[in-house]
Amino acid sequence: SIELIDKILTRECISQIFDLAEGVHVSGKKAMNIRIILSNKDFYTKWVEPVKRFLQGRDSTFARLFANPQFWANQKRMPNPEDLEWDYGTSGTFNQAQYLCTLFIEDIGNVIQQCISTHFEMVRYAEKLCRSLSDFTPLDDELAKEPNLIDQWMLELLEQKISATSPTHLGLSVPFPGNLYGGLRCAKFVKEKHPEIQITMGGGYVSTELRQLSDPRIFKYVDTITFDDGELPLERILTGGELV
């Protein structure tokens, strides 16, 4: 997940996102804001990597510049100056810069969500689709679609890992609903491209939401599912031990 976001927040990828988004019609309440963001493509492309480095704590050079609300292209997104003064005062330059940089990143996330992948969020993916999933059909239908641009980048990173390590087994950790779609998208890719790799899925979401699993279709994507602490199940899977 971290590597995927790190890849998205590069000049090259932001340029691709904006080029693709410019050909998409957006309606509704967010349409105006999306048009404002897209009209400032050069600004977002130029500053995305410095903003990322700043938020990662790798470069504080632009802290004072980023703390200035007048610097940012999307003024419609800016908070009231009086609210900023109340929240951060004159001594909170660094924190204010972090906050305004976060709004900048959220703008990019909004473009992706409105124009590239409706399920995308910066800290989760297709969470609403997977929360309290009583029927597997909506998720199964979504996975049957061609991977979108974000999916493609995620799968490219996965392929790099597979090429570097040549694994016999792949373990997918799914602690939250917002990890399930991405995990199964990766699993489908591996099933199609590397059918010799055995896939196991576990994690907090699996141990709770899938505990009474009755729909077998999930096994199109994974070979085994583990509940609770995974050490003993993994040992049995890897050594040919007894499975329950």
Side-chain angles (χ1 to χ4, degrees):
S1 299
I2 294 172
E3 289 184 21
L4 177 59
I5 295 298
D6 196 48
K7 179 179 178 67
I8 290 171
L9 299 179
T10 60
R11 289 189 178 94
E12 179 183 359
C13 289
I14 292 300
S15 181
Q16 289 184 54
I17 289 168
F18 274 64
D19 287 345
L20 189 59
E22 285 170 351
V24 176
H25 174 70
V26 179
S27 58
K29 294 186 292 185
K30 295 186 176 181
M32 177 62 73
N33 190 46
I34 295 298
R35 284 196 290 269
I36 292 171
I37 298 169
L38 293 179
S39 69
N40 288 286
K41 173 187 173 181
D42 291 344
F43 179 87
Y44 285 88
T45 304
K46 176 181 178 180
W47 287 102
V48 64
E49 292 185 15
V51 165
K52 179 176 68 172
R53 289 195 300 271
F54 175 75
L55 289 175
Q56 289 174 330
R58 295 192 290 124
D59 184 358
S60 59
T61 307
F62 294 109
R64 190 167 296 280
L65 179 65
F66 291 160
N68 180 5
Q70 298 304 314
F71 166 74
W72 301 98
N74 188 5
Q75 287 297 312
K76 187 175 184 293
R77 187 87 148 96
M78 286 297 104
N80 186 304
E82 293 180 359
D83 292 336
L84 283 176
E85 177 70 21
W86 173 262
D87 289 336
Y88 300 104
T90 58
S91 61
T93 299
F94 192 84
N95 289 339
Q96 181 167 310
Q98 287 183 316
Y99 171 62
L100 297 179
C101 284
T102 301
L103 295 183
F104 172 90
I105 298 297
E106 286 182 356
D107 281 347
I108 293 170
N110 288 339
V111 169
I112 296 172
Q113 187 180 74
Q114 295 297 315
C115 305
I116 310 296
S117 172
T118 57
H119 297 302
F120 179 83
E121 293 181 67
M122 283 290 175
V123 294
R124 58 184 69 88
Y125 205 174
E127 183 181 60
K128 292 179 181 178
L129 185 64
C130 303
R131 192 189 298 128
S132 299
L133 193 65
S134 58
D135 182 4
F136 191 65
T137 300
L139 182 56
D140 201 32
D141 290 345
E142 196 68 29
L143 291 165
K145 298 176 182 178
E146 287 296 311
N148 59 57
L149 183 62
I150 304 302
D151 292 340
Q152 291 171 23
W153 289 337
M154 177 176 66
L155 298 176
E156 287 173 9
L157 291 168
L158 176 60
E159 180 60 37
Q160 292 171 15
K161 300 288 186 187
I162 292 173
S163 297
T165 60
S166 301
T168 59
H169 290 73
L170 171 67
L172 296 170
S173 179
V174 183
F176 307 112
N179 305 123
L180 183 62
Y181 169 83
L184 292 183
R185 175 62 76 180
C186 289
K188 181 182 181 184
F189 172 83
V190 172
K191 283 291 181 189
E192 293 172 350
K193 302 295 183 181
H194 304 278
E196 73 282 1
I197 297 176
Q198 293 291 300
I199 303 175
T200 297
M201 184 171 73
Y205 176 86
V206 176
S207 295
T208 53
E209 297 298 320
L210 301 187
R211 197 149 203 112
Q212 305 301 322
L213 179 65
S214 59
D215 191 328
R217 286 179 291 173
I218 198 168
F219 292 105
K220 293 191 303 182
Y221 304 97
V222 302
D223 299 296
T224 49
I225 286 176
T226 70
F227 295 129
D228 306 319
D229 293 336
E231 290 85 352
L232 180 58
L234 281 176
E235 182 185 32
R236 289 178 173 180
I237 289 166
L238 293 172
T239 60
E242 180 187 4
L243 301 183
V244 178

